[in-house]
Amino acid sequence: MRVETPEPVGELDVDDDAQHLASLGYSYERQFKREMTFWGNVSLGFTYLSPVVAIYSLFAASLSVAGPPMFWSLVIVGVGQLLVATVFGEVVAAYPVAGGVYPWSRRLWGRKWGWMNGWVYLVALLTTIASVAYGAGPFLSTLAGMESSVDATILCGLVVIALATVLNLGGTKVLNAVAMIGLLAELGGALVVGIWLLATARHHDLSVLFQTFGAGEGNNYFFAFAAAGLIGIFQYYGFEACGDVAEEVPNPGRTIPKAMRMTIYIGGFAAMFVCLSLILAVPDFAAVISGTETDPVGNILLSAFGPIGFKAVLAVVLISFLSCVLSLQAATSRLAYSMARDGILPASKLLSAFSESRHVPPYALLLAGLVPALIVIGSKVSSDALTVIISFAAMGMYMGFQMVVVAALRARILGWKPNGAFRLGVWGIPVNIAALAWGVLGMVDMAWPRTPEDGWFANHVVLISAVTVVALGLLYMAWKKPHLKGDAPAADAVPALSARPPL
């Protein structure tokens, strides 16, 4: 596929970027500092995508459902999400505005679509922060020598959220540095752990990737593989965070599309390498599939590295979780700030406040810390409530992605001609359609009922949570009409539509 990228006419500097932002309808009197480098942008996306978090969290569940062939879901989902990232790259090159999916949808379709996309994605991000912080709890409590309990997990999850919030309040330069440290630690740790496991703890050869070892027996194996594919679906989002900080990156129209693709390349490689090394180090697949072995990752690492080495690996895993929360918070705060700047959120005046000294939106960052903290604390009252909330996290992400993909496809059909530094040319519509088809399949897979024996609610909790979030958004939109507030540009991708009065 040949991508049309115009030759640069001299290097853009900060003033050029600020003037471009002003041409899109945003004043540059108060602006973020463009202190995020290309590799800092890649690091932000990588640590948000976090292969260690996804693989270590879902390895046992996916292996027990489909056996070693679950590895191939990482390849399939990676290709599908690369299509989405390519569409996003073209959109962000045209509209390099903080907040990602919200301003993109607003410009491509209109006020209502933009507000709803921002709402869905904001809820998804807040719940994802809570789920990652809660997932970090057991690792931190183990490293700290605390007794395993719900209280310890909650306390440690809150510590991770608090630390990430403090670091984010330090500004873009701190975010850039910590994200790069997170990338180096996580990627380096993944390579070291993977190589060590392959060299010292391998029990199988590559042929096991094509053997089920009895997983999925009694049913169509395709459904077992699709269920196990959730490890890939949870793995490949995070690249969109590169665009959430578009106002903090020099020359964003060229830098961010490349950073998005690089995030998937590096993150996908790290995830597949770690997953492969773990699969080949499993002593007994039958024990994992039958449920006898419930923590294959922990036992493999403890056996291969010993007690001291195991603690070192846990430290790297914790850095991965912390940097993931940090990146998620950064993306969430920029989205909330972008929506509040346009006046369409409750407490918009507060959330759009901007720190002139640190060049970050402090109250939007606090929102990205307080709401996830409340969700984590709520697990003490009801683990079922936490499950329902977190069940929406991945589905909400994919819904947010596909609302942009649909808006881009509609705009193309109505005459949108992307004018950014990165363009797909004649490949625009085919890639857009393929990205949409992939996204719909991914959402169907997430919502598909898995265990009929667990009852109706348990089997449809993902769908129920998604419908609830959308319904609440529609009710608020009908009641308060937030989409009509503010005068930020909307639906201007297609000039004929932007001339119409707002709905």
Side-chain angles (χ1 to χ4, degrees), residues 148-173:
S148 178
S149 66
V150 172
D151 288 343
T153 298
I154 291 173
L155 176 62
C156 291
L158 294 176
V159 168
V160 170
I161 291 173
L163 182 55
T165 305
V166 170
L167 290 171
N168 261 312
L169 286 168
T172 302
K173 186 175 288 187

Side-chain angles (χ1 to χ4, degrees), residues 12 79 82 96 153 164 215 224 233 268 272 349 380-381 400 427 457 483:
L12 289 178
V79 172
L82 184 60
T153 298
I233 288 174
M272 287 187 277
K349 187 174 181 180
K380 179 66 175 177
V381 178
W427 287 98
F457 181 79
H483 57 286

Side-chain angles (χ1 to χ4, degrees), residues 131-152:
S131 67
V132 174
Y134 193 86
F139 292 99
L140 179 56
S141 61
T142 299
L143 188 64
M146 301 170 66
E147 184 178 346
S148 178
S149 66
V150 172
D151 288 343

Side-chain angles (χ1 to χ4, degrees), residues 58-59 61-71 73-74 77 221-234 445 450:
L58 293 174
F59 179 82
S62 291
L63 187 63
S64 66
V65 170
M70 63 85 167
F71 170 83
S73 70
L74 294 172
V77 178
Y221 182 74
F222 171 80
F223 294 107
F225 181 77
L230 289 177
I231 192 171
I233 288 174
F234 279 95
D445 188 24
R450 308 291 185 196

Side-chain angles (χ1 to χ4, degrees), residues 18 25 36 47 114 127 170 204 214 237 249 252 279 288 290 300 363 419 469 478 495:
M36 182 163 286
T47 53
T127 55
H204 312 280
Y237 56 81
V249 179
I279 288 172
V288 178
S290 67
I300 288 170
Y363 297 108
N419 60 355
V469 170

Side-chain angles (χ1 to χ4, degrees), residues 44 164 167-168 175 178-179 321-331:
L44 179 72
L167 290 171
N168 261 312
L175 174 63
V178 175
F321 272 91
L322 174 62
S323 56
C324 183
V325 172
L326 183 87
S327 300
L328 282 162
Q329 276 194 336

Side-chain angles (χ1 to χ4, degrees), residues 7 54 65 179 188 229 276 280 317 382 387:
E7 290 297 320
V65 170
L276 177 64
L280 299 184
V317 171
S382 173
T387 300

